[in-house]
Amino acid sequence: MEIPESKLIKSELILRDMDLSQEVKMARKSLVRWLALSLGIISKNESRQSVLNVLEALLYYHLKEKKEPNYQDLVDYFSQNNIQMNEKTIRYHLTQLRKMGLLDDSRGTYRFSGFQYDNLSSALEQTYQKRAYLTFFNIKEAISVLEKMYEEQR
């Protein structure tokens, strides 16, 4: 049974404050996983690799190739790196990243929200700060309404 409040949730904002150890910094896959955990893309103890593969492909095109990849670019990346991914899985993860507000889809190409090829970390920070601001805007309004209700009870 669905809880009625669940339909009020527009999105979730999960950020994790994690140690960035030297061990993590030694391997690209470890850094991609760390980033996915830190940004709330995956949950702790997540064992599935598919979203990490999609994230790694997006990072490759944005940071190395300096281009906004299209779907076929991602398929080519997986093929070149011997990663087995079916179309449904790839599209599912792209959709989930868009729903999280991390990815924009324009004319069939994908880019991290707010990213202009100079500073991905700043783009991600701005994306999360904007989402946090919008969330706290409503929280402040709710607290204000509660304050008035409690004052009226006196």
Side-chain angles (χ1 to χ4, degrees), residues 35 39 102 112-113 120-129:
L35 186 62
L39 294 172
L102 292 177
F112 290 99
S113 298
L120 179 57
S121 57
S122 290
L124 291 171
E125 181 179 13
Q126 288 173 2
T127 297
Y128 276 82
Q129 283 178 342

Side-chain angles (χ1 to χ4, degrees), residues 77-130:
Y77 177 86
F78 299 136
S79 176
Q80 291 166 4
N81 290 282
N82 296 318
I83 299 170
Q84 300 296 317
M85 297 272 293
N86 68 45
E87 177 180 357
K88 186 177 180 181
T89 301
I90 297 167
R91 293 195 187 278
Y92 170 80
H93 290 303
L94 291 170
T95 299
Q96 293 306 109
L97 291 170
R98 281 197 320 266
K99 285 181 180 178
M100 289 181 72
L102 292 177
L103 201 61
D104 291 332
D105 176 5
S106 106
R107 294 173 281 140
T109 62
Y110 301 95
R111 73 178 175 97
F112 290 99
S113 298
F115 184 50
Q116 302 297 323
Y117 300 112
D118 54 348
N119 196 330
L120 179 57
S121 57
S122 290
L124 291 171
E125 181 179 13
Q126 288 173 2
T127 297
Y128 276 82
Q129 283 178 342
K130 178 181 175 186

Side-chain angles (χ1 to χ4, degrees), residues 29-56:
K29 291 215 180 274
S30 294
L31 281 166
V32 170
R33 182 172 179 76
W34 184 94
L35 186 62
L37 276 164
S38 176
L39 294 172
I41 295 171
I42 62 173
S43 60
K44 56 185 177 181
N45 303 321
E46 180 77 43
S47 61
R48 294 174 295 170
Q49 282 292 122
S50 55
V51 70
L52 298 176
N53 292 333
V54 171
L55 180 60
E56 185 172 4

